[in-house]
Amino acid sequence: MSGPSLMDSLFQRTLEDLIKGLRQQLIGEQAFISKALEEIRKEIKSTDLSTKSTALLKLCYLSNLHFHDMSFAAFHALEVLSSPRFPHKKIAYHAISLSFHDSTPVLLLITNHLRKDLTSTNEFEVSLSLQCLSRIANVDLARDLTPEVFTLLSSNKLYVRKRAVAVVLRVFEKYPDSVRVCFKRLVENLENYDPQILSAVVGVFSELACKDPRSYLPLAPEFYKILVDSKSNWISIKVLKIFAKLAPLEPRLANRVVEPICDLMRKTGAKSLLFECVRTVVTSFSEYESAVRLAVEKIREFLVDEDPNLKYLGLHALSIVASKHLWVVSENKEVVIKSLSDPDPNIKIESLRLVMAMVSEHNVAEISKVLVNYALKSDPLFCNEILGSILSTCSRNVYEIIVDFDWYVSLLGEMSRIPHCQMGEEIENQFIDIGLRVKDVRPELVRVARDLLIDPALLGNSFLHRVLSAAAWVSGEYVEFSRNPLEFMEALLQPRTSLLPPSIMAIYIQSAFKVLVFCLHTCFVRGGSTAGVPASASYESFDDLSVENGADSTVAHGQTCTSAPITNESIVNLLKLVELALSPLLGSHDVEVQERARNLLGFVDLIKLEALNSSGQEENDSERKGVEATKIIRLVHDAFSKELGPVSLTAQGKVPVPDGLTLNENLGDLETICGDIELPSSNTFSFGYPSEEKDVSSFSNLQIKEDSGQSNESTSLLAEHRKRHGLYYLPSGKSEVISNDYPPANDPALQGDNNDNASDLVKLTAESLVPKRKPNHSKPRPVVVKLDEVDEKPVAVKQLESRDDSLSGAVRDILFGSEDILPTSSRSNLPNSNRKGKKKQHMITQVESKENVVDDGNSSSRRRKDHSHGKERRHRKKNAEERNETDRKEKESSSNHPRRHKSRQRAEEPLKVPPQTSVIPDFLL
Amino acid sequence: MIHFVLLISRQGKVRLTKWYSPYSQKERTKVIRELSGLILTRGPKLCNFVEWRGLRVVYKRYASLYFCMCIDEDDNELEILEIIHHYVEVLDRYFGSVCELDLIYNFHKAYFILDELLIAGELQEPSKRTVARLVAAQDSLVETAKEQTSSITNIIAQAAK
């Protein structure tokens, strides 16, 4: 046994050997590491502690820098820990704090080791175990070691004491009951004059105060003293953090503190402290005009500084202050706008946030223009950052800040043409949303949609497909505003649409359907209805067809239709175009596309058969058929012309459940009923029967008419539902084969005029950012349809934080001194008499201040009496204990309504009484 | 508080990691991968702060090493920069003009020095001289212990057991 052990320890690879070997990489890193791990596994089982600890150290190295699992060595680490030698201990503690976590099985075994080292006379051993405890403490460890930590809190070795203070934070977190034991000593350390101890204590309190500031209000006087006296910047920063949390809770405290903070701001030379002052003022003292002015002055110094760090922090501080004092931002707008073109992306994003904070309905157009120009020039990431923030700001609160929707819609079009634009989905939603909500903007919307649709280059950009789908939808839905519907047909059926994914292709086809119906309707039905007798008009129109464009009727159509006349000839061409474009899609693999193409082609077939072929037949027959074709067209047109409005999210819930329908009934027996019917799975659907077309044409006319009418109506409703909600029932395969024969839509090289430099833009915005007195909007803001319940964002029911979370509850018990809750564990004997006495003092004042709330009639006089009469106090104390139960309730309710409580108390106090906080007892301030 | 400290070389090699908040081994690897991608790509004249997962990472480059510390949103970034600088100065004093190789071969010492500086994610010792003294004291403790173990008589005694 001893032989191999000796060999092991003599020829063991040390950590340095390991690192050297690893760096030489003779056999490759992975191979070397696995070999080393093998060695370590062997060595770590050795009985010799030196060998073991070296192995452990090597393992630490591999785990730490090469991320190899070292959990197998947990027990071995404990073995090394039991060594009496300091270097072994050090390695073991290092390994433990590196690898242990809450679910490490051997965690239970470590308690005694830690206890032993915590009580060791060697301060370094104590320090090591404290360090380890701070990392691995769980509930059990924290509970079991609280007494030791408590003792160390007043250790006369400063080195140990400051570490104990820092560790207390973790112990509190894990085991809140320890607060009852240790808190007093922690507070006593606040009065320590040693800067190291003070720094540690203040650090602990600043962490604690982040979580629940209210509990620490009673300690405000101590913090105040530290703030005024402190010479160390580290400490000042921490104290400022505490006050940033406390001040908003207690206005009188803020009154007291704001002056020292301003002093500090004026005289300090350290940037970190200066920044902390600035941040404290802008977050928590924003009502104090002079302090804010001073802070803003300092922020400006930061902004113009060369150091990018200061600039970033300056912008960050501005964005904090922006919510309350927007003037500060507009005062510094030049710097902010200039920062948009800073080389640092973080600074850019920060300044973008600020620019967006300045947006109002008066300047939204100008700011957006500037930003879009920036977006054109910047890298894709920031470009989309800009576009995203424009979109979200403008659509905020149902387009609250938009007055001129025509402008906004064309801006959307412009944004989607920016080469890097990846915000397709958001733009799509807004297009459709605005179309539904704002009636007046639809003509412009259609114009923008047209521009997008007819540009074949855009089809090559996969990010734009969503936008195009919205444009297609708009073109179909609001085709009546179009000047030239035929153009839409061509755009929707252009060959490059094959680049679109199937789901969007389906939308294109559906829109083409709508546009076609509209064209036919204007041409045949409406053209006649102006003449007065629909039947004769349709007859006339079909007559035209047969005699090949009678000149006079073409003129008549030219008048009834919009600027671009829809002649019969164009209809014929249109039908041909549809057939040409869609017949390849009949074999599409996508069910949606195939079905829609089939629908449309079936409809075309129907019309064509009825209308075009009638020329060869006799007069009577063609008239009869013509009438039927008109009927079909009218029916389908009616189905499409129903206007769609925005639908409330809760609309479904408002539909009453019909009588006799039990939704919750067990559907289990349905399975037995339908069990023998084999349902085809959705994947196996196939519509590729070539015979179907023949079937359709062979049906009797009447049947087809009804069928197609209904099916079209339902499919269109379905499609619209889909588009509106963006919910596609069938997953769309993303087969994006983009052949870019066309030049990109917006070649940066072509955008020469956008490359004007930053200073020009600054000049531009300098004018535009000045809020105009009278917005020169030529037209009033159009009505935006709002649904009351939906458009307000669902307000999250803000739950009151459970104030009785255990840690702050415990702290409050200590500071507010309700002594009826004694520590439940055996350590209740720890508080010595001295502490008890002090505690009592705390408690009494607290109880008394609570009483102020209870009987508000004579509280202020009673308080003053209290301070002079100790006897009465004692008497009162007994009294108070009797009342403790009710008091505590009262306290709870009072802490729930601190405002009322404070204001009431303030009203009672005469003005000459120095400012004091409601929960801060007098003797503290 | 400081959530973790990382030392990453310019090539993306990790030189030191210290975690003050609980992260599992898997998360640690992920964090390091994410952050080195985020930080190493940044140019030299940019600011030293990066927003990351709702936290903030303060980094500073010394020679070929990036010192990174991750802090809460409302912590003081400039203070952390000072702490980083402080740490570097202490290292410099200890190793005598420190270089990356020192940290590679004495990785545990770099840890021990960091442990003197920070505890539980808070700055513990703002005085460089004190840190140097404490580290030296512990080193000598280690040395004396080592001498005892590695003396020949000791080895023989052990072998004879």
Side-chain angles (χ1 to χ4, degrees), chain A residues 48 64 90 135 159 162-163 170 207 241 272 276 279 309 312 344 346, chain B residues 1 17 19 42 47-49 51 74-76 82 111 115-116 125 138 158:
Chain A
D48 175 35
N64 209 329
K90 201 164 179 173
R135 181 66 200 80
Y159 176 67
K162 71 178 183 187
R163 283 176 171 243
R170 288 305 157 86
E207 287 294 322
K241 275 192 198 310
S272 52
E276 198 56 51
R279 179 151 60 182
N309 289 339
Y312 175 80
D344 190 334
N346 293 351
Chain B
M1 68 174 264
T17 59
W19 309 86
R42 284 173 65 82
C47 70
N48 294 99
F49 319 123
E51 280 173 46
D74 55 354
D75 274 331
N76 192 321
E82 278 171 37
Y111 271 102
D115 283 347
E116 291 304 321
E125 182 50 74
Q138 294 185 54
Q158 218 179 25

mmCIF file of all heavy atoms in Angstrom, chain A residues 48 64 90 135 159 162-163 170 207 241 272 276 279 309 312 344 346, chain B residues 1 17 19 42 47-49 51 74-76 82 111 115-116 125 138 158:
data_model
loop_
_atom_site.group_PDB
_atom_site.id
_atom_site.type_symbol
_atom_site.label_atom_id
_atom_site.label_comp_id
_atom_site.label_asym_id
_atom_site.label_seq_id
_atom_site.Cartn_x
_atom_site.Cartn_y
_atom_site.Cartn_z
ATOM 1 N N ASP A 48 -2.573 9.576 0.725
ATOM 2 C CA ASP A 48 -1.704 10.691 1.063
ATOM 3 C C ASP A 48 -2.396 12.007 0.714
ATOM 4 O O ASP A 48 -2.783 12.227 -0.428
ATOM 5 C CB ASP A 48 -0.396 10.566 0.274
ATOM 6 C CG ASP A 48 0.488 11.762 0.506
ATOM 7 O OD1 ASP A 48 0.453 12.269 1.652
ATOM 8 O OD2 ASP A 48 1.171 12.188 -0.438
ATOM 9 N N ASN A 64 -12.545 24.448 -14.073
ATOM 10 C CA ASN A 64 -12.776 25.884 -14.161
ATOM 11 C C ASN A 64 -12.542 26.435 -15.555
ATOM 12 O O ASN A 64 -13.317 27.235 -16.053
ATOM 13 C CB ASN A 64 -11.836 26.572 -13.179
ATOM 14 C CG ASN A 64 -12.421 27.861 -12.689
ATOM 15 O OD1 ASN A 64 -13.155 28.503 -13.412
ATOM 16 N ND2 ASN A 64 -12.101 28.224 -11.475
ATOM 17 N N LYS A 90 -6.787 25.131 1.963
ATOM 18 C CA LYS A 90 -7.007 26.190 1.000
ATOM 19 C C LYS A 90 -7.478 25.606 -0.333
ATOM 20 O O LYS A 90 -8.449 26.079 -0.932
ATOM 21 C CB LYS A 90 -5.697 26.956 0.795
ATOM 22 C CG LYS A 90 -5.923 28.331 0.233
ATOM 23 C CD LYS A 90 -4.689 29.183 0.410
ATOM 24 C CE LYS A 90 -4.969 30.541 -0.186
ATOM 25 N NZ LYS A 90 -3.957 31.522 0.048
ATOM 26 N N ARG A 135 -20.516 31.238 -0.376
ATOM 27 C CA ARG A 135 -20.811 30.703 -1.695
ATOM 28 C C ARG A 135 -21.804 29.544 -1.639
ATOM 29 O O ARG A 135 -22.694 29.448 -2.471
ATOM 30 C CB ARG A 135 -19.495 30.260 -2.341
ATOM 31 C CG ARG A 135 -19.578 29.696 -3.710
ATOM 32 C CD ARG A 135 -20.029 30.731 -4.716
ATOM 33 N NE ARG A 135 -20.555 30.068 -5.904
ATOM 34 C CZ ARG A 135 -21.743 29.559 -6.010
ATOM 35 N NH1 ARG A 135 -22.576 29.649 -5.004
ATOM 36 N NH2 ARG A 135 -22.131 28.959 -7.097
ATOM 37 N N TYR A 159 -9.913 41.814 10.181
ATOM 38 C CA TYR A 159 -9.902 41.034 8.949
ATOM 39 C C TYR A 159 -11.035 40.018 8.950
ATOM 40 O O TYR A 159 -11.750 39.834 7.959
ATOM 41 C CB TYR A 159 -8.538 40.342 8.835
ATOM 42 C CG TYR A 159 -8.390 39.430 7.659
ATOM 43 C CD1 TYR A 159 -8.381 39.940 6.369
ATOM 44 C CD2 TYR A 159 -8.237 38.059 7.845
ATOM 45 C CE1 TYR A 159 -8.230 39.095 5.285
ATOM 46 C CE2 TYR A 159 -8.079 37.212 6.779
ATOM 47 C CZ TYR A 159 -8.077 37.727 5.496
ATOM 48 O OH TYR A 159 -7.925 36.892 4.433
ATOM 49 N N LYS A 162 -14.782 41.872 9.108
ATOM 50 C CA LYS A 162 -15.358 42.428 7.889
ATOM 51 C C LYS A 162 -15.846 41.322 6.959
ATOM 52 O O LYS A 162 -16.845 41.460 6.276
ATOM 53 C CB LYS A 162 -14.356 43.345 7.187
ATOM 54 C CG LYS A 162 -13.220 42.624 6.552
ATOM 55 C CD LYS A 162 -12.295 43.576 5.832
ATOM 56 C CE LYS A 162 -11.209 42.753 5.159
ATOM 57 N NZ LYS A 162 -10.154 43.483 4.560
ATOM 58 N N ARG A 163 -15.151 40.197 7.007
ATOM 59 C CA ARG A 163 -15.617 39.083 6.186
ATOM 60 C C ARG A 163 -16.903 38.509 6.737
ATOM 61 O O ARG A 163 -17.811 38.168 5.984
ATOM 62 C CB ARG A 163 -14.548 38.005 6.129
ATOM 63 C CG ARG A 163 -13.498 38.468 5.187
ATOM 64 C CD ARG A 163 -12.323 37.658 5.015
ATOM 65 N NE ARG A 163 -11.683 38.317 3.897
ATOM 66 C CZ ARG A 163 -11.475 37.757 2.726
ATOM 67 N NH1 ARG A 163 -11.787 36.517 2.529
ATOM 68 N NH2 ARG A 163 -10.953 38.440 1.756
ATOM 69 N N ARG A 170 -25.552 36.593 2.958
ATOM 70 C CA ARG A 170 -25.979 35.291 2.427
ATOM 71 C C ARG A 170 -26.754 34.507 3.469
ATOM 72 O O ARG A 170 -27.728 33.828 3.184
ATOM 73 C CB ARG A 170 -24.765 34.480 1.988
ATOM 74 C CG ARG A 170 -24.138 34.989 0.748
ATOM 75 C CD ARG A 170 -25.174 35.070 -0.342
ATOM 76 N NE ARG A 170 -24.810 36.005 -1.373
ATOM 77 C CZ ARG A 170 -24.050 35.675 -2.409
ATOM 78 N NH1 ARG A 170 -23.635 34.460 -2.527
ATOM 79 N NH2 ARG A 170 -23.743 36.566 -3.297
ATOM 80 N N GLU A 207 -27.406 46.102 -0.318
ATOM 81 C CA GLU A 207 -28.052 44.948 -0.957
ATOM 82 C C GLU A 207 -29.405 44.664 -0.326
ATOM 83 O O GLU A 207 -30.379 44.388 -1.016
ATOM 84 C CB GLU A 207 -27.168 43.701 -0.824
ATOM 85 C CG GLU A 207 -25.949 43.702 -1.713
ATOM 86 C CD GLU A 207 -26.294 43.626 -3.189
ATOM 87 O OE1 GLU A 207 -27.244 42.907 -3.537
ATOM 88 O OE2 GLU A 207 -25.619 44.303 -3.985
ATOM 89 N N LYS A 241 -26.618 54.676 -2.695
ATOM 90 C CA LYS A 241 -27.548 53.656 -3.203
ATOM 91 C C LYS A 241 -28.666 53.410 -2.199
ATOM 92 O O LYS A 241 -29.828 53.261 -2.569
ATOM 93 C CB LYS A 241 -26.803 52.357 -3.453
ATOM 94 C CG LYS A 241 -26.145 52.293 -4.806
ATOM 95 C CD LYS A 241 -25.685 50.893 -5.069
ATOM 96 C CE LYS A 241 -24.656 50.882 -6.174
ATOM 97 N NZ LYS A 241 -25.117 51.620 -7.341
ATOM 98 N N SER A 272 -16.818 58.235 -10.526
ATOM 99 C CA SER A 272 -17.774 57.204 -10.126
ATOM 100 C C SER A 272 -18.729 57.744 -9.067
ATOM 101 O O SER A 272 -19.938 57.528 -9.141
ATOM 102 C CB SER A 272 -17.039 55.982 -9.599
ATOM 103 O OG SER A 272 -16.130 56.357 -8.597
ATOM 104 N N GLU A 276 -22.736 58.471 -9.342
ATOM 105 C CA GLU A 276 -23.695 57.906 -8.395
ATOM 106 C C GLU A 276 -24.600 59.005 -7.846
ATOM 107 O O GLU A 276 -25.804 58.813 -7.684
ATOM 108 C CB GLU A 276 -22.948 57.190 -7.270
ATOM 109 C CG GLU A 276 -23.788 56.230 -6.476
ATOM 110 C CD GLU A 276 -24.454 55.160 -7.320
ATOM 111 O OE1 GLU A 276 -23.752 54.523 -8.107
ATOM 112 O OE2 GLU A 276 -25.676 54.983 -7.207
ATOM 113 N N ARG A 279 -27.061 59.917 -10.502
ATOM 114 C CA ARG A 279 -28.105 58.910 -10.665
ATOM 115 C C ARG A 279 -29.072 58.930 -9.486
ATOM 116 O O ARG A 279 -30.286 58.807 -9.666
ATOM 117 C CB ARG A 279 -27.471 57.531 -10.804
ATOM 118 C CG ARG A 279 -28.537 56.465 -10.940
ATOM 119 C CD ARG A 279 -28.107 55.293 -11.726
ATOM 120 N NE ARG A 279 -26.971 54.611 -11.155
ATOM 121 C CZ ARG A 279 -26.398 53.550 -11.720
ATOM 122 N NH1 ARG A 279 -26.860 53.110 -12.862
ATOM 123 N NH2 ARG A 279 -25.379 52.982 -11.171
ATOM 124 N N ASN A 309 -17.216 55.975 -22.107
ATOM 125 C CA ASN A 309 -17.923 55.489 -20.923
ATOM 126 C C ASN A 309 -18.786 56.574 -20.316
ATOM 127 O O ASN A 309 -19.937 56.358 -19.986
ATOM 128 C CB ASN A 309 -16.918 55.023 -19.867
ATOM 129 C CG ASN A 309 -16.240 53.753 -20.267
ATOM 130 O OD1 ASN A 309 -16.763 53.022 -21.106
ATOM 131 N ND2 ASN A 309 -15.084 53.499 -19.703
ATOM 132 N N TYR A 312 -21.728 57.372 -22.498
ATOM 133 C CA TYR A 312 -22.775 56.360 -22.373
ATOM 134 C C TYR A 312 -23.563 56.553 -21.088
ATOM 135 O O TYR A 312 -24.790 56.552 -21.079
ATOM 136 C CB TYR A 312 -22.136 54.979 -22.402
ATOM 137 C CG TYR A 312 -23.085 53.844 -22.159
ATOM 138 C CD1 TYR A 312 -23.899 53.375 -23.175
ATOM 139 C CD2 TYR A 312 -23.181 53.243 -20.911
ATOM 140 C CE1 TYR A 312 -24.776 52.343 -22.961
ATOM 141 C CE2 TYR A 312 -24.055 52.210 -20.686
ATOM 142 C CZ TYR A 312 -24.849 51.762 -21.709
ATOM 143 O OH TYR A 312 -25.719 50.731 -21.478
ATOM 144 N N ASP A 344 -20.081 53.461 -31.476
ATOM 145 C CA ASP A 344 -20.404 52.447 -30.480
ATOM 146 C C ASP A 344 -21.893 52.093 -30.535
ATOM 147 O O ASP A 344 -22.749 52.948 -30.310
ATOM 148 C CB ASP A 344 -20.054 52.986 -29.090
ATOM 149 C CG ASP A 344 -20.135 51.908 -28.047
ATOM 150 O OD1 ASP A 344 -20.893 50.947 -28.265
ATOM 151 O OD2 ASP A 344 -19.451 52.032 -27.027
ATOM 152 N N ASN A 346 -23.755 50.533 -28.466
ATOM 153 C CA ASN A 346 -24.472 50.743 -27.204
ATOM 154 C C ASN A 346 -24.891 52.188 -27.049
ATOM 155 O O ASN A 346 -25.986 52.495 -26.594
ATOM 156 C CB ASN A 346 -23.589 50.354 -26.018
ATOM 157 C CG ASN A 346 -23.327 48.877 -25.997
ATOM 158 O OD1 ASN A 346 -23.937 48.148 -26.761
ATOM 159 N ND2 ASN A 346 -22.416 48.451 -25.159
ATOM 160 N N MET B 1 -24.612 43.811 -6.705
ATOM 161 C CA MET B 1 -23.476 42.966 -6.399
ATOM 162 C C MET B 1 -22.869 42.416 -7.701
ATOM 163 O O MET B 1 -23.498 42.460 -8.749
ATOM 164 C CB MET B 1 -23.891 41.815 -5.499
ATOM 165 C CG MET B 1 -24.810 40.804 -6.186
ATOM 166 S SD MET B 1 -25.131 39.374 -5.158
ATOM 167 C CE MET B 1 -23.922 38.229 -5.753
ATOM 168 N N THR B 17 -12.415 32.120 -13.981
ATOM 169 C CA THR B 17 -13.846 32.376 -13.803
ATOM 170 C C THR B 17 -14.147 32.307 -12.321
ATOM 171 O O THR B 17 -13.625 31.457 -11.618
ATOM 172 C CB THR B 17 -14.711 31.308 -14.492
ATOM 173 O OG1 THR B 17 -14.373 30.040 -13.951
ATOM 174 C CG2 THR B 17 -14.512 31.304 -15.990
ATOM 175 N N TRP B 19 -17.611 32.687 -9.773
ATOM 176 C CA TRP B 19 -19.073 32.867 -9.805
ATOM 177 C C TRP B 19 -19.567 33.181 -8.406
ATOM 178 O O TRP B 19 -19.372 32.402 -7.496
ATOM 179 C CB TRP B 19 -19.746 31.602 -10.341
ATOM 180 C CG TRP B 19 -19.132 31.159 -11.622
ATOM 181 C CD1 TRP B 19 -18.037 30.369 -11.765
ATOM 182 C CD2 TRP B 19 -19.535 31.513 -12.944
ATOM 183 N NE1 TRP B 19 -17.747 30.204 -13.093
ATOM 184 C CE2 TRP B 19 -18.655 30.888 -13.838
ATOM 185 C CE3 TRP B 19 -20.567 32.290 -13.463
ATOM 186 C CZ2 TRP B 19 -18.760 31.029 -15.214
ATOM 187 C CZ3 TRP B 19 -20.685 32.422 -14.830
ATOM 188 C CH2 TRP B 19 -19.788 31.800 -15.688
ATOM 189 N N ARG B 42 -15.946 43.798 -29.870
ATOM 190 C CA ARG B 42 -16.076 45.246 -29.778
ATOM 191 C C ARG B 42 -14.739 45.936 -30.035
ATOM 192 O O ARG B 42 -13.690 45.457 -29.647
ATOM 193 C CB ARG B 42 -16.627 45.644 -28.412
ATOM 194 C CG ARG B 42 -18.119 45.386 -28.303
ATOM 195 C CD ARG B 42 -18.618 45.610 -26.911
ATOM 196 N NE ARG B 42 -18.505 47.013 -26.501
ATOM 197 C CZ ARG B 42 -19.390 47.944 -26.825
ATOM 198 N NH1 ARG B 42 -20.425 47.651 -27.561
ATOM 199 N NH2 ARG B 42 -19.229 49.185 -26.416
ATOM 200 N N CYS B 47 -17.315 52.143 -25.519
ATOM 201 C CA CYS B 47 -17.464 52.192 -24.072
ATOM 202 C C CYS B 47 -17.320 50.788 -23.491
ATOM 203 O O CYS B 47 -17.403 49.792 -24.203
ATOM 204 C CB CYS B 47 -18.782 52.823 -23.671
ATOM 205 S SG CYS B 47 -20.227 51.843 -24.032
ATOM 206 N N ASN B 48 -17.090 50.722 -22.195
ATOM 207 C CA ASN B 48 -16.726 49.465 -21.555
ATOM 208 C C ASN B 48 -17.908 48.713 -20.967
ATOM 209 O O ASN B 48 -17.732 47.839 -20.134
ATOM 210 C CB ASN B 48 -15.710 49.732 -20.442
ATOM 211 C CG ASN B 48 -14.403 50.234 -20.983
ATOM 212 O OD1 ASN B 48 -14.133 51.410 -20.978
ATOM 213 N ND2 ASN B 48 -13.615 49.324 -21.508
ATOM 214 N N PHE B 49 -19.132 49.090 -21.385
ATOM 215 C CA PHE B 49 -20.297 48.452 -20.773
ATOM 216 C C PHE B 49 -21.124 47.764 -21.838
ATOM 217 O O PHE B 49 -21.284 48.270 -22.936
ATOM 218 C CB PHE B 49 -21.154 49.489 -20.063
ATOM 219 C CG PHE B 49 -20.367 50.496 -19.309
ATOM 220 C CD1 PHE B 49 -20.491 51.846 -19.568
ATOM 221 C CD2 PHE B 49 -19.472 50.076 -18.343
ATOM 222 C CE1 PHE B 49 -19.746 52.765 -18.872
ATOM 223 C CE2 PHE B 49 -18.722 50.994 -17.649
ATOM 224 C CZ PHE B 49 -18.855 52.347 -17.914
ATOM 225 N N GLU B 51 -24.856 45.674 -22.248
ATOM 226 C CA GLU B 51 -26.089 45.191 -21.635
ATOM 227 C C GLU B 51 -26.268 43.740 -22.018
ATOM 228 O O GLU B 51 -26.100 43.370 -23.166
ATOM 229 C CB GLU B 51 -27.287 46.003 -22.110
ATOM 230 C CG GLU B 51 -27.409 47.320 -21.390
ATOM 231 C CD GLU B 51 -28.496 48.184 -21.982
ATOM 232 O OE1 GLU B 51 -29.586 47.658 -22.232
ATOM 233 O OE2 GLU B 51 -28.236 49.360 -22.218
ATOM 234 N N ASP B 74 -28.525 48.500 -11.570
ATOM 235 C CA ASP B 74 -28.364 49.780 -10.873
ATOM 236 C C ASP B 74 -27.046 49.872 -10.108
ATOM 237 O O ASP B 74 -26.890 50.731 -9.258
ATOM 238 C CB ASP B 74 -29.559 50.056 -9.952
ATOM 239 C CG ASP B 74 -29.782 48.920 -8.986
ATOM 240 O OD1 ASP B 74 -29.078 47.913 -9.128
ATOM 241 O OD2 ASP B 74 -30.641 49.043 -8.106
ATOM 242 N N ASP B 75 -26.134 48.981 -10.374
ATOM 243 C CA ASP B 75 -24.817 49.142 -9.765
ATOM 244 C C ASP B 75 -24.032 50.204 -10.519
ATOM 245 O O ASP B 75 -24.374 50.571 -11.635
ATOM 246 C CB ASP B 75 -24.072 47.805 -9.791
ATOM 247 C CG ASP B 75 -24.424 46.953 -8.597
ATOM 248 O OD1 ASP B 75 -24.750 47.541 -7.557
ATOM 249 O OD2 ASP B 75 -24.405 45.721 -8.715
ATOM 250 N N ASN B 76 -22.953 50.625 -9.893
ATOM 251 C CA ASN B 76 -22.187 51.728 -10.457
ATOM 252 C C ASN B 76 -21.084 51.194 -11.374
ATOM 253 O O ASN B 76 -20.137 50.557 -10.925
ATOM 254 C CB ASN B 76 -21.581 52.542 -9.312
ATOM 255 C CG ASN B 76 -21.019 53.836 -9.793
ATOM 256 O OD1 ASN B 76 -20.425 53.899 -10.867
ATOM 257 N ND2 ASN B 76 -21.207 54.875 -9.027
ATOM 258 N N GLU B 82 -13.183 50.680 -11.570
ATOM 259 C CA GLU B 82 -12.112 50.936 -10.601
ATOM 260 C C GLU B 82 -11.699 49.657 -9.898
ATOM 261 O O GLU B 82 -10.515 49.440 -9.625
ATOM 262 C CB GLU B 82 -12.565 51.991 -9.587
ATOM 263 C CG GLU B 82 -12.400 53.390 -10.137
ATOM 264 C CD GLU B 82 -13.040 54.438 -9.246
ATOM 265 O OE1 GLU B 82 -12.989 54.285 -8.011
ATOM 266 O OE2 GLU B 82 -13.602 55.393 -9.792
ATOM 267 N N TYR B 111 -6.759 33.427 -8.182
ATOM 268 C CA TYR B 111 -8.011 33.246 -7.441
ATOM 269 C C TYR B 111 -7.898 33.734 -6.028
ATOM 270 O O TYR B 111 -8.771 34.432 -5.521
ATOM 271 C CB TYR B 111 -8.369 31.760 -7.380
ATOM 272 C CG TYR B 111 -9.184 31.313 -8.538
ATOM 273 C CD1 TYR B 111 -8.627 30.623 -9.578
ATOM 274 C CD2 TYR B 111 -10.543 31.616 -8.582
ATOM 275 C CE1 TYR B 111 -9.372 30.222 -10.646
ATOM 276 C CE2 TYR B 111 -11.298 31.218 -9.650
ATOM 277 C CZ TYR B 111 -10.704 30.516 -10.676
ATOM 278 O OH TYR B 111 -11.454 30.140 -11.732
ATOM 279 N N ASP B 115 -10.008 36.508 -4.123
ATOM 280 C CA ASP B 115 -10.787 36.224 -2.923
ATOM 281 C C ASP B 115 -10.500 37.217 -1.809
ATOM 282 O O ASP B 115 -11.364 37.496 -0.985
ATOM 283 C CB ASP B 115 -10.483 34.810 -2.420
ATOM 284 C CG ASP B 115 -11.185 33.761 -3.262
ATOM 285 O OD1 ASP B 115 -12.069 34.151 -4.046
ATOM 286 O OD2 ASP B 115 -10.843 32.574 -3.144
ATOM 287 N N GLU B 116 -9.280 37.725 -1.785
ATOM 288 C CA GLU B 116 -8.985 38.742 -0.777
ATOM 289 C C GLU B 116 -9.699 40.043 -1.110
ATOM 290 O O GLU B 116 -10.074 40.811 -0.235
ATOM 291 C CB GLU B 116 -7.475 39.016 -0.707
ATOM 292 C CG GLU B 116 -6.659 37.886 -0.143
ATOM 293 C CD GLU B 116 -7.129 37.469 1.236
ATOM 294 O OE1 GLU B 116 -7.494 38.357 2.032
ATOM 295 O OE2 GLU B 116 -7.150 36.248 1.508
ATOM 296 N N GLU B 125 -11.634 44.768 0.191
ATOM 297 C CA GLU B 125 -10.398 45.366 0.678
ATOM 298 C C GLU B 125 -9.906 46.413 -0.324
ATOM 299 O O GLU B 125 -9.366 46.069 -1.364
ATOM 300 C CB GLU B 125 -9.355 44.255 0.859
ATOM 301 C CG GLU B 125 -8.041 44.726 1.403
ATOM 302 C CD GLU B 125 -8.226 45.581 2.634
ATOM 303 O OE1 GLU B 125 -8.547 45.030 3.689
ATOM 304 O OE2 GLU B 125 -8.043 46.815 2.529
ATOM 305 N N GLN B 138 -0.346 34.491 3.766
ATOM 306 C CA GLN B 138 -0.888 33.163 3.492
ATOM 307 C C GLN B 138 0.101 32.331 2.698
ATOM 308 O O GLN B 138 0.228 31.119 2.915
ATOM 309 C CB GLN B 138 -2.211 33.282 2.734
ATOM 310 C CG GLN B 138 -3.274 33.915 3.594
ATOM 311 C CD GLN B 138 -4.614 33.942 2.915
ATOM 312 O OE1 GLN B 138 -5.111 32.916 2.478
ATOM 313 N NE2 GLN B 138 -5.186 35.122 2.829
ATOM 314 N N GLN B 158 6.783 8.631 6.058
ATOM 315 C CA GLN B 158 5.514 8.225 5.478
ATOM 316 C C GLN B 158 5.635 6.856 4.811
ATOM 317 O O GLN B 158 4.743 6.016 4.931
ATOM 318 C CB GLN B 158 5.096 9.263 4.442
ATOM 319 C CG GLN B 158 3.613 9.499 4.480
ATOM 320 C CD GLN B 158 3.227 10.541 3.475
ATOM 321 O OE1 GLN B 158 3.913 10.744 2.480
ATOM 322 N NE2 GLN B 158 2.139 11.195 3.733
#
